[in-house]
Amino acid sequence: MSESKTKKASKRALAQPEERLGDKAYEKTLRHLHEELVKMQEWVVRSGAKVCILFEGRDGAGKGGTIKAITERVNPRVFRVVTTPAPTEREKSQMYFQRYLPHLPAAGEIVIFDRSWYNRAGVERVMGFCTPEQVQEFLATVPLIERAIVHSGIILLKYWLDVSPEEQTRRLEARISDERKIWKLSPMDLESYHRWYDYSRARDEMFEKTDTNFAPWFFLHSDDKQRARLNVIAHLLSRVPYEEVPRETVKLPRRQKADGYRDPDYAYNRVPQVY
């Protein structure tokens, strides 16, 4: 993507007037950014580039919705989302980074971590799942690991989505009252809500130790979900030096003749037309 096009795309999505975006304005801008993501995808595949995107942040900050907005119109074989479950007993005995490294992108891939190795600096630290010594060892080691990742040719982007205490309360209460969202609210979410300032302190030290010039953190307030999604997509497009790849003209071929074929007289088990 040319520098001028990148700036135009960013300006369209990064402009922040006081009022909230209307749905039509949001969908129009999102459509444009989706088109650019497809162009970026084609360039990544053609060039063999490797892109790794980390999403961290407070519970209720909108990480899942932002990742969905990024990936809903692209090829899941190119854009791969990684959500690591709780470590097994075997993984607990490994070097901490060992279970994350196999998920890093190969040529032609974009990997998105919905939470990442930074679990150790956040939830594991605050909830007491690791020792203070392990936390400090992690914070000292991360820049070395990430320098190696970047030097291997991977474009590494790290996003922290933050939310105000009032908006977090509103969103978590909405999960409680909505049968479609109640599954999103875990005992861990409730405890993290209680430990707001423990998470703040952990985040502050994480930034201090791991916000490097070769792998910087990008911070975004996400009280306005729609603007947050647009701003993140516009920003990541500006950080990947993609160019539009020429496409062959696509034309549907002529459909073959029936050549005597007739639909069978078969008693299908049909889905009831309830709606």
Side-chain angles (χ1 to χ4, degrees), residues 12-272:
R12 274 193 289 268
L14 292 174
Q16 295 200 26
E18 292 182 1
E19 70 277 5
R20 286 180 176 270
L21 281 175
D23 289 342
K24 288 185 178 180
Y26 170 70
E27 292 296 337
K28 181 179 180 180
T29 306
L30 185 61
R31 180 186 178 93
H32 166 73
L33 293 174
H34 280 159
E35 291 170 352
E36 292 301 322
L37 284 171
V38 171
K39 293 176 185 177
M40 185 184 82
Q41 168 185 274
E42 293 171 341
W43 175 82
V44 166
V45 172
R46 178 73 65 88
S47 67
K50 299 174 287 186
V51 182
C52 182
I53 308 169
L54 312 185
F55 279 98
E56 297 287 342
R58 295 187 185 274
D59 289 314
K63 296 180 294 298
T66 300
I67 292 171
K68 182 178 179 181
I70 293 170
T71 59
E72 63 183 344
R73 297 294 181 179
V74 293
N75 188 341
R77 291 188 293 273
V78 179
F79 277 78
R80 181 160 51 86
V81 178
V82 175
T83 305
T84 53
T88 64
E89 289 303 315
R90 180 176 183 275
E91 288 171 334
K92 289 178 182 179
S93 70
Q94 294 175 338
M95 170 189 172
Y96 177 73
F97 288 95
Q98 192 170 338
R99 74 189 188 108
Y100 294 100
L101 297 181
H103 295 292
L104 292 176
E109 293 181 346
I110 302 166
V111 171
I112 299 176
F113 280 89
D114 184 358
R115 296 196 180 275
S116 64
W117 46 87
Y118 281 99
N119 276 340
R120 174 135 296 180
V123 62
E124 291 188 15
R125 177 181 191 171
V126 174
M127 298 299 177
F129 298 154
C130 61
T131 67
E133 292 75 19
Q134 287 175 319
V135 172
Q136 294 308 313
E137 176 66 21
F138 170 82
L139 293 173
T141 305
V142 166
L144 303 177
I145 298 291
E146 292 182 348
R147 183 185 291 275
I149 290 173
V150 172
H151 282 187
S152 75
I154 293 175
I155 298 172
L156 179 61
L157 300 173
K158 304 188 302 188
Y159 291 104
W160 176 274
L161 272 59
D162 217 306
V163 65
S164 67
E166 297 78 15
E167 181 63 15
Q168 186 190 52
T169 298
R170 189 192 69 78
R171 292 179 185 179
L172 296 186
E173 286 180 342
R175 292 181 185 181
I176 295 173
S177 60
D178 192 333
E179 290 290 335
R180 302 167 300 170
K181 298 179 180 179
I182 189 64
W183 63 271
K184 292 184 177 183
L185 196 62
S186 68
M188 196 72 68
D189 295 327
L190 298 176
E191 187 62 23
S192 69
Y193 177 84
H194 168 66
R195 296 172 181 253
W196 174 274
Y197 292 106
D198 287 342
Y199 270 97
S200 296
R201 296 183 184 95
R203 177 204 62 193
D204 294 348
E205 186 175 9
M206 182 191 75
F207 279 3
E208 180 184 351
K209 300 290 180 60
T210 66
D211 185 18
T212 59
N213 59 357
F214 53 85
W217 277 103
F218 296 104
F219 184 98
L220 180 70
H221 278 290
S222 60
D223 280 18
D224 186 328
K225 286 184 178 181
Q226 289 185 330
R227 291 191 186 281
R229 293 167 186 171
L230 299 180
N231 287 328
V232 166
I233 297 173
H235 183 267
L236 75 86
L237 286 168
S238 74
R239 301 291 296 189
V240 178
Y242 71 99
E243 299 175 353
E244 188 168 348
V245 175
R247 299 172 183 160
E248 294 182 4
T249 301
V250 179
K251 185 178 180 180
L252 290 176
R254 181 178 297 176
R255 182 170 286 153
Q256 67 180 160
K257 295 180 179 180
D259 199 17
Y261 175 82
R262 293 182 179 180
D263 288 334
D265 184 13
Y266 185 80
Y268 294 106
N269 293 309
R270 298 186 180 277
V271 175

